[in-house]
Amino acid sequence: MAIVNIETATTICSVSLAEKGLAVFEKASFDGLSHASLLGVFVEEAVKEAKSLNLKIDAVAVSGGPGSYTGLRIGVSMAKGLCFGWNVPLINVPTLDILASKAIESVSGKPSEALFCAMLDARRMEVYAALYDHLLHKVRDTEAEIVTEDSYSSFLEKQQVYFFGNGVGKCKSVLLSPNALFIDNLYPLAGDMALLSELAYSENRFENVAYFEPFYLKDFIATVSKNKALSEK
């Protein structure tokens, strides 16, 4: 079984070809928003690799958000077109799941009670974020939020929390708890989708190709810091 994975939720454009949960081909560009011009080229290279390995493409997986509106639209449109053309199912892999699985794998010696917070940059002090345990189970669903000194305090009081993704730079000067740990230079890439898309395929978790839309988050939750609340009393 082979799956073409597409990841365009951030400024990075990437495509991989996965066989049995392992990426056998991967191409990525870190040169900014070049998705429209590069994605088709990368997919064509993945198809050529599949032919050279005598692999039949059984599905297309796409990073389904949250993330860049334009990037997600380009990636999902390409994935849908391939599914229609090849008559194969469409798999949605949430973008923050991709990040979290990579972070969990990268941290050695982590305590089992540690949590992992995947963050994608939105604008200003705003992020899209979700919390996971070490088994990639969601502890808190994805939210669009404004980061303050009180963000995640209920978690940081009890356990270590690893923060990562391209939104993490906004948190370092705000989240000062000793339990707040940061992982730099971690990005969602198509190669990291291999196991997740394989699992989704094995469980028949497919999307309706005609009606599937990326997961957009637009409303941000603003919280008032405890110090500010006290000063206003």
Side-chain angles (χ1 to χ4, degrees):
M1 182 181 67
I3 299 174
V4 170
N5 298 287
I6 295 173
E7 212 301 310
T8 56
T10 68
T11 56
I12 301 167
C13 177
S14 63
V15 172
S16 73
L17 175 69
E19 180 190 15
K20 297 179 181 178
L22 295 174
V24 295
F25 168 88
E26 182 177 6
K27 196 70 176 286
S29 170
F30 294 78
D31 295 333
L33 294 173
S34 53
H35 303 45
S37 60
L38 291 179
L39 184 56
V41 176
F42 291 173
V43 168
E44 185 177 352
E45 292 181 18
V47 171
K48 288 181 179 178
E49 184 67 15
K51 290 180 179 178
S52 71
L53 296 173
N54 198 29
L55 294 175
K56 174 183 175 292
I57 296 173
D58 297 283
V60 176
V62 65
S63 175
S68 159
Y69 180 88
T70 301
L72 289 172
R73 296 297 296 181
I74 292 171
V76 169
S77 295
M78 173 64 75
K80 286 185 173 185
L82 295 174
C83 289
F84 276 123
W86 296 340
N87 192 28
V88 297
L90 174 67
I91 296 169
N92 166 37
V93 181
T95 307
L96 296 180
D97 287 9
I98 302 169
L99 266 175
S101 65
K102 188 172 184 177
I104 292 168
E105 183 181 356
S106 71
V107 177
S108 60
K110 54 186 174 290
S112 60
E113 67 272 14
L115 298 180
F116 294 80
C117 184
M119 285 186 163
L120 287 178
D121 186 19
R123 58 185 185 272
R124 296 186 291 275
M125 285 301 289
E126 299 163 348
V127 297
Y128 304 126
L131 277 165
Y132 303 78
D133 66 16
H134 71 290
L135 297 176
L136 200 61
H137 299 144
K138 269 190 178 176
V139 174
R140 197 206 70 182
D141 286 336
T142 303
E143 293 182 4
E145 58 189 320
I146 298 171
V147 180
T148 73
E149 64 267 30
D150 294 324
S151 299
Y152 310 101
S153 59
S154 61
F155 300 102
L156 290 168
E157 289 170 358
K158 303 173 184 176
Q159 62 230 114
Q160 292 181 337
V161 181
Y162 291 87
F163 296 89
F164 47 90
N166 66 4
V168 77
K170 298 178 177 182
C171 300
K172 289 185 176 181
S173 62
V174 178
L175 301 178
L176 303 178
S177 167
N179 277 334
L181 307 172
F182 302 95
I183 305 173
D184 295 320
N185 303 316
L186 202 64
Y187 311 98
L189 295 171
D192 302 315
M193 296 170 63
L195 278 174
L196 297 174
S197 59
E198 165 88 10
L199 178 62
Y201 187 94
S202 67
E203 296 177 348
N204 294 314
R205 287 190 276 115
F206 304 132
E207 302 293 337
N208 185 305
V209 178
Y211 296 105
F212 174 72
E213 291 291 334
F215 177 39
Y216 301 120
L217 283 175
K218 297 181 180 179
D219 297 322
F220 286 85
I221 301 170
T223 58
V224 179
S225 69
K226 293 177 182 177
N227 291 337
K228 183 176 180 181
L230 289 171
S231 66
E232 291 177 349
K233 288 183 178 180

